Amino acid sequence: MTTNRGLEDIVAREISVLVPDAEKLEIGKSRVYFEANKEAVYLLNLWSRTIHRLLMVLGRERCKSLEDIYCFVSSLDFTGIIDRKQTFAVRAERSGKHKFSSPEIAATVGQAIIDSYLRDTGASLRVNLKFPDVEFMCYLVNDDFMITVNTTGESLHKRNYRVYNHPAALKATIASSLIMLSEWKTEEPFLDPMCGGGTIAIEAALIARNIAPGLFRKASFFFERLLPFDRDEYLKVRDEAERRANHGVYSITAIDISPRHLKGAHLNALSAGVHDTIRFIKGDARFLEKYMDIQPRVVVVNPPYGIKLTRMKHVPILYRDFLKSLKKVTERACLVVITAATRVFREACKEAEISIVERRLILHGALQTTVFKCVIG
Ligand SMILES: C[S@@+](CC[C@H](N)C(=O)[O-])C[C@H]1O[C@@H](n2cnc3c(N)ncnc32)[C@H](O)[C@@H]1O
């Protein structure tokens, strides 16, 4: 499967919880590999909060040239994957030094699939690059070639509940990963003091209410078009997901200084069906003591970095005052922060005497950000 770079270990942990009999879990760059049965495809696409795409590996081989790739792919059997009336597309990515391009890999693999299918069935498969029924994804890293089939379709980070698009919105998969990193127990008070469009608080509410994010999906999953698809088995997993949601009461607070963003966050929460699980407050994170009547035990926040929303000079003051104010409202808490203003955050922690216990680099889109885990008290 694919995910955000830097969060692979969190994804691996999630997989081992959702699919306890998954075997041979192995962490790669933006990828986690494992072996599991067919039910895991339905389960993970519906339940995973951290995965982008779940890919089924069809074959892996050392390949140095396009000829090697052609020979390997054409030796595979595609008759159990794609029906003769279906169309397909091949996407390819490569890294390392090669005398050929990614589009050339895709074209070679496409021809090899057509030739293999023709040999095995007498039927000629058709290509549709825009709206294929089946999508093959190929990766070549140096001479390590892998062909997979996409069981997800569009990335799972698009949750479909977002009706208000905050200009600096966090990917829902990153938000969920940060909450998992905080080791939040859902009975503990949770706070996002600069919530923007509400992604972090909404993902927290979905976790607490045990709502499977895949249930928001409007388009079908790509696994529904693959030949091994078993509709009855999938409906069982889906019905079970619908049954498992709860209507418990949790303490999740989301604050933002901007009435516009706060209104957007509320609309997003409404669309996700968790507006009654989150307390939204228009407020200033530098003066939390004005709004907080309970001590937050877990704080997960994506403050402005000084790039898009706030002028750079305001950011150090904001970080410093926010951390000082946070210490006033809680004696003991875990704080997880994602920011591109790394140095500024470190300095603010030093000044507020907050210790950083973990630090990891992650890519958010094209932006290099740092995730800090801190302890207060
Ligand atoms: C990077 S955005 C958060 C995006 C959010 N994680 C999402 O997914 O939509 C930072 C937010 O901090 C808010 N903000 C800036 N200064 C603030 C302050 N002093 N108190 C509370 N919120 C503040 C901004 O209005 C903005 O919505």
Side-chain angles (χ1 to χ4, degrees), residues 2 9 19 35 47 72 88 104 108 110 121 131-132 135 137 172 189 232 251 334 363:
T2 62
D9 57 322
V19 187
E35 285 180 11
W47 277 101
F72 174 59
F88 79 96
E104 285 176 299
T108 304
T121 64
F131 302 109
E135 187 176 58
M137 319 269 275
D232 289 343
S251 171
C334 171
L363 272 182

Side-chain angles (χ1 to χ4, degrees), residues 207-320:
I207 291 173
R209 300 262 309 264
N210 211 17
I211 297 173
L215 294 175
F216 291 107
R217 199 170 176 94
K218 292 196 180 92
S220 59
F221 290 106
F222 273 20
F223 63 69
E224 295 176 57
R225 308 150 175 204
L226 299 178
L227 281 184
F229 178 51
D230 180 335
R231 183 163 294 279
D232 289 343
E233 202 181 337
Y234 168 53
L235 289 179
K236 254 193 249 163
V237 177
R238 205 184 157 94
D239 287 350
E240 174 69 12
E242 273 161 8
R243 260 199 309 274
R244 276 171 56 187
N246 71 60
H247 294 276
V249 176
Y250 302 93
S251 171
I252 300 173
T253 307
I255 297 176
D256 202 282
I257 202 162
S258 152
R260 186 164 61 95
H261 295 327
L262 204 69
K263 189 173 167 213
H266 195 264
L267 289 174
N268 286 340
L270 198 67
S271 154
V274 293
H275 56 291
D276 50 354
T277 309
I278 305 169
R279 185 168 59 137
F280 289 102
I281 301 173
K282 186 199 154 310
D284 189 331
R286 294 171 301 165
F287 306 105
L288 292 171
E289 57 280 15
K290 282 192 190 169
Y291 323 100
M292 296 303 291
D293 48 9
I294 34 162
Q295 291 199 20
R297 287 285 176 245
V298 170
V299 180
V300 180
V301 63
N302 166 216
Y305 310 151
I307 297 168
K308 283 186 186 167
L309 297 175
T310 321
R311 276 181 294 143
M312 198 63 199
K313 65 176 183 184
H314 292 154
V315 169
I317 302 164
L318 170 65
Y319 284 20
R320 183 199 65 197

Side-chain angles (χ1 to χ4, degrees), residues 5-7 10 170 174 177-179 181-182 300-301 305 335-340 342 345 356-363 368-374:
R5 180 91 180 265
L7 296 170
I10 294 173
L170 199 60
I174 296 184
S177 300
L178 301 187
I179 297 166
L181 181 67
S182 77
V300 180
V301 63
Y305 310 151
L335 165 69
V336 173
V337 176
I338 178 168
T339 180
T342 305
F345 181 73
I356 297 169
V357 291
E358 193 182 323
R359 181 179 166 267
R360 53 174 79 205
L361 297 177
I362 74 159
L363 272 182
Q368 180 72 66
T369 59
T370 305
V371 171
F372 292 96
K373 185 173 177 180
C374 310

